[in-house]
């Protein structure tokens, strides 16, 4: 019996520790991913804050609220009397009745559409399919057939043993509501811009009308719950083992003290492991952002000879244009921040200089097509640069904060230099949103 008690309490404590680390990982993910502006999002896990906007919003089924997502449900109450047979204290068979009540779902559904998150820098498209959505409750009402809602929105037939009471509930993401989003960003297929969508490899995809602080506090409460509950199980298991294994009523606190020590001995390396992994995740986000810069710079480098050939077809090169093109050709590979190398320059000044010196190029279809490709590439570089700098700033801050600083020092993690690219231009994504 004592062995079984130890096994159960040990497994319970281990389960609580696992849930503690799982909750801590989610909390740190919310806390660690830096909040980006919509214009600073490109590729990778991103956190954004703004308002819900749409050009063609939905109207929720029950409350009629303009929104981009709604989920509704109708439950009907039932009640029935059942007879049961039991044996009384004298061993005689007796019969008694009792009343059972409950709620059955009789109807429900949900609908969502892609929408835009708007902040002070612009908008970004969000595709909510597959997200963990936490919206606003706009209806939670219980009524009888006297209410028009009962049959107006609910089914025409009642369930067996109905008490003629129905509960209507609905949750929405209302238009213009403040929103918190954390999810995977990817490049859109229609324009050079980012969008947030489900990715099976993403650590989290959350859309919520709660603030980041409220979400973090929610995880914090669950973190303390699992931690304290696990500690109670560990202590309870040790006390139970002491009580079962000894005939004396005097409790020896040595075993509970050992259980507490073992619990925290497992907790400490688990915490270090979780913190280290979160810092590694940030570092990987940095590498991902830098790889996007590298890819787009190489793509631009491949396009430069085409621009050169077009200019040659009109007249001899001007020295200024030659110099600018030579600078761009020299950037065949990205030079990481902090490593010796020339700063990146945008293509827009070169294009303007070429057009000014060769005005006939404006009528060339080949040049206009190439101009668009180069401009799109520049926007991708600007997006990747902003994303890299956002993550690098937050990563550097994390390396200075205690207790993360101790873990980072042990792991040999160093601050990263920000990318100082210049002369890049961004074209905003424009769309007519509903008022």
């Amino acid at each position: 019996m004592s062995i079984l008690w130890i096994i159960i309490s040990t497994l319970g404590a281990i389960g609580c520790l696992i849930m503690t680390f799982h909750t801590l990982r989610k909390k740190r993910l919310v806390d660690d991913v830096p909040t980006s502006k919509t214009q600073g999002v490109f590729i990778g896990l991103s956190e954004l804050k703004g308002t819900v906007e749409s050009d063609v919003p939905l109207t929720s089924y029950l409350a009629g609220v303009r929104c981009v997502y709604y989920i509704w449900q109708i439950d009907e109450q039932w009640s029935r009397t059942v007879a049961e047979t039991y044996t009384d204290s004298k061993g005689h068979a007796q019969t008694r009745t009792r009343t059972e009540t409950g709620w059955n779902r009789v109807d429900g559904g949900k609908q969502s559409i892609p929408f835009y998150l708007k902040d002070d820098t612009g908008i970004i498209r969000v595709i909510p399919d597959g997200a963990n959505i936490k919206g606003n409750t706009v209806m939670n009402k219980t009524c009888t057939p006297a209410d028009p809602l009962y049959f107006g929105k609910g089914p025409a037939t009642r369930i067996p043993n109905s008490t003629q009471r129905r509960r209507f509930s609905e949750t929405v993401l209302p238009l213009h509501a403040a929103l918190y989003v954390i999810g995977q960003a990817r490049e859109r297929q229609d324009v050079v811009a980012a969008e947030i969508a489900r990715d099976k490899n993403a650590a989290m995809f959350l859309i919520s009308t709660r603030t980041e602080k409220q979400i973090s506090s929610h995880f914090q409460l669950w973190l303390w719950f699992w931690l304290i509950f696990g500690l109670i199980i560990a202590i309870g298991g040790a006390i139970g083992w002491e009580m079962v294994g000894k005939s004396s009523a005097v409790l020896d606190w040595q075993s509970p003290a050992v259980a507490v020590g073992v619990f925290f001995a497992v907790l400490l390396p688990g915490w270090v492991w979780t913190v280290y992994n979160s810092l590694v995740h940030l570092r990987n986000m940095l590498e991902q952002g830098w790889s996007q810069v590298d890819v787009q710079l190489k793509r631009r480098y491949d396009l430069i000879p085409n621009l050169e050939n077009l200019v040659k077809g009109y007249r001899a090169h001007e020295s200024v244009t030659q110099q600018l093109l030579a600078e761009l050709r020299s950037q065949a590979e990205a030079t990481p921040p902090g490593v010796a190398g020339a700063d990146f320059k945008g293509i827009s000044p070169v294009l303007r200089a070429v057009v000014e010196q060769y005005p006939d190029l404006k009528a060339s279809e080949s040049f206009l097509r190439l101009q668009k490709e180069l401009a799109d590439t520049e926007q991708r570089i600007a997006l990747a640069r902003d994303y890299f700098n956002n993550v690098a700033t937050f990563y550097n801050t994390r390396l200075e904060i205690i207790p993360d600083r101790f873990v980072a020092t042990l792991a040999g993690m160093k601050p990263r230099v920000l990318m100082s690219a210049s002369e890049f231009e961004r074209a905003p994504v424009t769309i007519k949103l509903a008022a």
Side-chain angles (χ1 to χ4, degrees), residues 44 63 86 111 128 284 286 298 321 375 379 434:
Y86 71 99
Q111 188 175 358
N284 290 341
L286 271 173
K298 289 178 179 177
T321 307
Q379 289 187 62

Side-chain angles (χ1 to χ4, degrees), residues 20 52 56 59 88 93 101 106 159 206 255 270 302 320 337 352 367 376 382 410 413-414 421 432:
T20 298
V52 179
V56 186
T59 299
D88 62 15
T101 60
V106 295
I159 63 173
L206 174 65
S255 294
D302 292 337
V320 175
R352 281 195 292 267
F367 176 76
D376 288 350
L410 290 174
M413 296 182 177
K414 304 294 183 182
K432 186 177 181 181

Side-chain angles (χ1 to χ4, degrees), residues 62-82:
L62 295 180
V65 175
R66 291 206 307 166
C67 59
V68 296
Y69 162 88
Y70 65 87
I71 181 169
W72 58 280
Q73 183 169 320
I74 303 174
D75 300 293
E76 190 167 347
Q77 189 181 45
W78 54 267
S79 177
R80 62 173 177 259
T81 301
V82 296

Side-chain angles (χ1 to χ4, degrees), residues 78-85 95-101:
W78 54 267
S79 177
R80 62 173 177 259
T81 301
V82 296
E84 61 180 11
T85 302
T95 301
R96 61 186 175 191
T97 60
R98 59 183 175 86
T99 301
E100 297 178 339
T101 60

Side-chain angles (χ1 to χ4, degrees), residues 58-317:
L58 300 170
T59 299
S60 67
Y61 179 73
L62 295 180
V65 175
R66 291 206 307 166
C67 59
V68 296
Y69 162 88
Y70 65 87
I71 181 169
W72 58 280
Q73 183 169 320
I74 303 174
D75 300 293
E76 190 167 347
Q77 189 181 45
W78 54 267
S79 177
R80 62 173 177 259
T81 301
V82 296
E84 61 180 11
T85 302
Y86 71 99
T87 303
D88 62 15
S89 59
K90 296 181 180 180
H92 299 145
Q94 301 288 343
T95 301
R96 61 186 175 191
T97 60
R98 59 183 175 86
T99 301
E100 297 178 339
T101 60
W103 294 86
N104 281 359
R105 175 175 173 172
V106 295
D107 206 354
K110 65 179 180 179
Q111 188 175 358
S112 64
I113 58 172
F115 62 91
Y116 294 93
L117 186 76
K118 181 182 179 181
D119 63 12
D120 57 347
T121 65
I123 59 175
I124 185 172
R125 185 166 69 179
V126 180
I127 302 175
D129 297 341
N132 180 15
I133 300 177
K134 305 293 184 182
N136 291 342
T137 300
V138 294
M139 179 173 286
N140 190 9
K141 181 179 180 179
T142 302
C143 63
T144 64
D147 193 308
L149 184 66
Y150 191 91
F151 287 117
K153 294 292 186 180
T157 57
R158 299 188 181 96
I159 63 173
N161 303 308
S162 173
T163 64
Q164 301 191 53
R165 296 180 72 235
R166 285 178 176 173
R167 183 172 59 207
F168 295 78
S169 59
E170 188 172 58
T171 300
V172 306
L173 291 179
L175 205 63
H176 311 313
L179 204 64
Y180 171 88
V181 177
I182 180 171
Q184 191 75 7
R186 67 186 186 191
E187 188 177 354
R188 288 174 59 170
Q189 299 299 313
D190 51 347
V191 295
V192 181
E195 65 182 6
I196 307 296
R198 180 182 177 274
D199 187 314
K200 64 180 181 180
N201 297 318
M204 183 182 292
F205 187 16
L206 174 65
I207 301 174
S208 178
T209 53
R210 293 184 295 176
T211 65
E212 180 183 2
K213 184 177 180 181
Q214 289 173 328
I215 294 169
S216 180
S217 297
H218 172 77
F219 284 127
Q220 182 76 33
L221 288 174
W222 278 106
L223 176 65
W224 282 110
F225 169 80
W226 289 116
L227 183 61
I228 294 173
F229 189 48
L231 188 58
I232 291 173
I233 291 177
I235 295 174
I239 292 176
W241 181 75
E242 283 283 343
M243 298 297 292
V244 171
K246 292 185 178 182
S247 58
S248 173
V250 178
L251 178 64
D252 185 357
W253 288 98
Q254 182 176 357
S255 294
V258 171
V260 172
V262 172
F263 184 84
F264 281 102
V266 175
L267 178 66
L268 181 60
W271 174 85
V272 173
W273 173 75
T274 304
V275 171
Y276 173 76
N277 282 348
S278 68
L279 292 175
V280 170
H281 177 72
L282 273 175
R283 188 174 64 186
N284 290 341
M285 289 173 64
L286 271 173
E287 299 302 329
Q288 184 182 40
W290 180 250
S291 68
Q292 293 300 321
V293 175
D294 194 25
V295 167
Q296 298 307 325
L297 281 172
K298 289 178 179 177
R299 181 176 184 271
R300 187 180 70 176
Y301 173 78
D302 292 337
L303 292 172
I304 297 303
N306 297 334
L307 178 61
E308 226 177 347
N309 291 332
L310 282 170
V311 174
K312 284 180 180 178
Y314 279 81
R315 64 168 112 161
H317 289 251

